[in-house]
Amino acid sequence: MTISRRALLAAGAVAGGGLLGACGSNTGRGDGGGGSRPALTQWYHQYGESGTEQAVKRYAAAYGKARVTVQWRPGNYDQQTAAALLTDSGPDVFEVNGPTLDQIQGGQVVDLTALLDGVKDDFNPAVLAPKTYDGKIWGIPQVIDMQMLYYRKSLLQDAGLRPPDTLDALVDAAKKLTTKKTKGLFLGNDGGAGVLGGTPLYAAGLQLVTEDGKPGFDDPAAARTLAKVRQLYADKSLLLGAPADWSDPSAFLQGLTAMQWSGLWALPQVQKELGDDFGVLPFPKDGPSGRPAVPVGAYAAAVSARGRNREAAEEFVKWLWVQRTDDQEDFALSYGFHIPARISLAKKAAKLRTGAAADAVRLTTDHGHAQPLLWTPAAQTAYQDTLSRIIKDGADPDSELKTVLRKVSAELDRVKKTS
């Protein structure tokens, strides 16, 4: 199953920094008989959702102030763009899972703050925050993807259970729902170490990085919460070794699990096969300072600082991703199932106004959190390894977190020195 836009939500989905040879000299910048209109090249990663490529080419063709050539980029897109931004033959406008801190600090992308004058507050703040650095906006969010907990209403009712609204209740429900044929919960074939990331920390009222650039989980609550996630594994309540991983709802649809952590993209298929016999929840809160947690992510439209027509590129980005609200809704909901980045569009979109889809929008608006810009690949890897040892190996959460806090602190100090 092609993950496409939703791949950025998986823990560790960060832009690659290596160079890729021959990353694309066909920029589409020739005069091409377009008169005085500037020529722009726009890059997208290869979506798995049918019709997306045709749609973005249609949007570009409708723009009258420049000749926009769309390039559909298969392969390791993040690596391709990272390499291309260092050359004069890269894109003028490109979609990016970021921009990354290195791209911003390296002067590779253009400040787009002015493009959101008067409409900034209409963009979901959870996905706009990682596009913001030093008070400036470096990418315009396109659509939102989010993760949530699916549960079978009938199975919970038969067991006398309410939808779990705390982590303790989730641990209890997963254990009670586990039978010889069905497991209580599916968090991925690795027990959740890969997909959950920092979500349990947010559920405990913590965060990965504070506003002043320090580790946000130097708190006893972190160990207590991760110990409960470990308990799910120790209780044998988790489905492991499913035919498809967490991003695919097939385990949930086949009755292999009563509850499954997956994404919004799975909702149309779940609804088609289960009708009204399911509901959706955030990751439940834990502890007195806890709060429900919903991981979100968004690709953004960015402008290369090495482009030959930067002003024209900025005008095009504003036209498509700020002004053309009909196209933004079309891009979010006609090819796959996503939430528009604009709060007003998400509220009025017909496909998102009822049932579980409306619940997903509400959860995203009320409880969404994104991976912080300062959360570098090095910090991610260190934390990911720690989470895996706690969940799968039963390592002591206190000692593991003390070790990873030292590593993350050193990494954040390094990042701040280069700022």
Side-chain angles (χ1 to χ4, degrees):
M1 179 176 178
T2 303
I3 295 180
S4 189
R5 280 179 262 199
R6 54 188 171 270
L8 70 119
L9 277 169
V14 291
L19 296 178
L20 186 71
C23 61
S25 58
N26 177 22
T27 63
R29 285 200 176 94
D31 56 32
S36 60
R37 290 190 302 160
L40 300 174
T41 301
Q42 181 183 26
W43 282 16
Y44 289 89
H45 81 281
Q46 184 178 26
Y47 287 85
E49 296 140 332
S50 177
T52 312
E53 181 179 5
Q54 291 76 15
V56 297
K57 289 181 176 179
R58 185 173 68 251
Y59 307 153
Y63 187 60
K65 293 185 178 181
R67 292 174 289 111
V68 183
T69 301
V70 171
Q71 287 196 18
W72 205 244
R73 309 291 297 190
N76 190 328
Y77 178 81
D78 288 337
Q79 192 174 20
Q80 291 180 46
T81 52
L85 291 177
L86 302 176
T87 75
D88 292 327
S89 60
D92 297 288
V93 177
F94 62 102
E95 99 176 332
V96 62
N97 178 14
T100 67
L101 189 61
D102 287 344
Q103 289 165 348
I104 295 170
Q105 292 178 338
Q108 297 171 22
V109 291
V110 174
D111 173 11
L112 303 180
T113 308
L115 303 191
L116 295 190
D117 283 350
V119 296
K120 178 183 175 182
D121 290 344
D122 193 35
F123 280 79
N124 187 297
V127 293
L128 191 59
K131 320 301 181 190
T132 306
Y133 180 71
D134 196 24
K136 300 174 182 178
I137 298 167
W138 303 92
I140 309 300
Q142 297 176 168
V143 298
I144 299 173
D145 278 313
M146 52 87 74
Q147 296 169 8
M148 55 190 174
L149 182 67
Y150 289 80
Y151 68 93
R152 288 289 294 272
K153 292 180 179 179
S154 59
L155 294 181
L156 267 68
Q157 290 169 356
D158 290 346
L161 296 168
R162 297 174 56 86
D165 59 359
T166 67
L167 184 53
D168 287 327
L170 179 65
V171 173
D172 180 62
K175 188 172 184 179
K176 290 181 178 177
L177 289 165
T178 297
T179 67
K180 292 181 179 180
K181 295 183 178 180
T182 303
K183 287 292 188 178
L185 178 61
F186 184 40
L187 297 174
N189 284 325
D190 62 357
V195 66
L196 290 181
T199 299
L201 299 180
Y202 285 91
L206 308 174
Q207 53 191 326
L208 291 173
V209 181
T210 63
E211 291 186 4
D212 57 354
K214 297 179 180 178
F217 53 100
D218 188 4
D219 188 292
R224 289 197 298 268
T225 295
L226 295 186
K228 294 176 184 179
V229 178
R230 158 63 187 175
Q231 191 61 44
L232 289 162
Y233 191 95
D235 286 344
K236 301 188 185 301
S237 301
L238 298 180
L239 174 65
L240 303 171
D245 215 341
W246 67 271
S247 64
D248 188 317
S250 58
F252 184 64
L253 297 176
Q254 293 168 12
L256 301 178
T257 181
M259 299 181 289
Q260 177 174 336
W261 187 257
S262 192
L264 177 67
W265 55 85
L267 195 149
Q269 185 180 356
V270 172
Q271 198 157 34
K272 180 180 178 181
E273 298 197 26
L274 297 182
D276 294 330
D277 188 22
F278 78 99
V280 295
L281 297 168
F283 192 91
K285 64 183 179 181
D286 186 49
S289 300
R291 58 187 182 227
V294 176
V296 299
Y299 273 95
V303 173
S304 170
R306 299 187 71 144
R308 300 176 189 176
N309 295 298
R310 284 173 43 178
E311 185 175 337
E314 290 178 50
E315 289 182 7
F316 172 64
V317 169
K318 182 174 182 178
W319 175 83
L320 180 55
W321 295 114
V322 179
Q323 297 172 343
R324 298 279 286 193
T325 53
D326 287 349
D327 287 341
Q328 292 160 32
E329 184 176 336
D330 178 67
F331 187 68
L333 290 163
S334 297
Y335 323 98
F337 204 69
H338 314 270
I339 299 174
R342 302 279 290 272
I343 296 172
S344 60
L345 293 183
K347 287 182 178 179
K348 80 177 187 67
K351 293 182 179 180
L352 299 174
R353 292 174 66 179
T354 59
D359 291 339
V361 172
R362 176 180 54 80
L363 295 177
T364 299
T365 303
D366 294 347
H367 307 301
H369 70 269
Q371 187 165 288
L373 180 62
L374 294 180
W375 192 246
T376 66
Q380 170 70 19
T381 299
Y383 175 78
Q384 192 80 16
D385 291 345
T386 292
L387 190 58
S388 181
R389 286 191 293 270
I390 292 172
I391 294 176
K392 298 178 70 175
D393 301 334
D396 178 62
D398 282 307
S399 60
E400 287 288 332
L401 284 169
K402 287 178 182 177
T403 299
V404 78
L405 277 166
R406 289 194 295 270
K407 293 179 180 179
V408 170
S409 294
E411 175 64 5
L412 292 175
D413 286 344
R414 181 193 68 79
V415 168
K416 285 185 286 188
K417 287 179 181 179
T418 61
S419 300

